[in-house]
Amino acid sequence: MLFTLVLALTSCSDDLDVQQSYPFTVEVMPYGDKIKQGETLELRFEIKPEGNYANTLYTIRYFQYDGEGTLKLVDGPVLVNNDRVLLESKTFRLNYTAQSS
């Protein structure tokens, strides 16, 4: 399972369409790198901003470049390759289910 996860951090105002990027890191809990067809792997993430910014929105999108599978936000939608999904929290979990060996 190889895929790239892209997170974006933006800030918006009701009066202006202003987008600003702020520095942050993403911590990922360790997970196994081997998965069999039909197995599901839980991935846990936490966004750690370098400051405390008001009205920030976090989004996620992914690109799967090896193998086949589905990626789903736990208690949320299945992610579609290259579609952006709004995150409701800085801490989130994804389930990846392998559909190839």
Side-chain angles (χ1 to χ4, degrees), residues 41-58:
L41 180 69
E42 182 179 78
L43 308 166
R44 296 179 182 198
F45 299 86
E46 184 173 359
I47 299 170
K48 299 273 192 162
E50 290 185 15
N52 188 11
Y53 307 105
N55 302 319
T56 55
L57 298 174
Y58 299 92

Side-chain angles (χ1 to χ4, degrees), residues 11-58:
S11 177
C12 299
S13 169
D14 289 341
D15 300 328
L16 300 172
D17 185 17
V18 176
Q19 294 189 0
Q20 180 68 44
S21 294
Y22 298 102
F24 66 95
T25 59
V26 178
E27 291 185 1
V28 182
M29 293 289 292
Y31 60 89
D33 61 350
K34 302 284 185 195
I35 186 170
K36 295 178 184 175
Q37 185 174 359
E39 286 186 333
T40 298
L41 180 69
E42 182 179 78
L43 308 166
R44 296 179 182 198
F45 299 86
E46 184 173 359
I47 299 170
K48 299 273 192 162
E50 290 185 15
N52 188 11
Y53 307 105
N55 302 319
T56 55
L57 298 174
Y58 299 92

Side-chain angles (χ1 to χ4, degrees), residues 33-90:
D33 61 350
K34 302 284 185 195
I35 186 170
K36 295 178 184 175
Q37 185 174 359
E39 286 186 333
T40 298
L41 180 69
E42 182 179 78
L43 308 166
R44 296 179 182 198
F45 299 86
E46 184 173 359
I47 299 170
K48 299 273 192 162
E50 290 185 15
N52 188 11
Y53 307 105
N55 302 319
T56 55
L57 298 174
Y58 299 92
T59 61
I60 184 173
R61 66 181 175 177
Y62 89 105
F63 307 92
Q64 184 164 345
Y65 54 91
D66 189 22
E68 292 182 33
T70 58
L71 190 63
K72 178 185 182 309
L73 277 164
V74 173
D75 300 327
V78 171
L79 301 179
V80 176
N81 219 11
N82 201 24
D83 276 0
R84 190 176 297 245
V85 175
L86 180 65
L87 294 173
E88 296 187 16
S89 173
K90 289 186 240 179

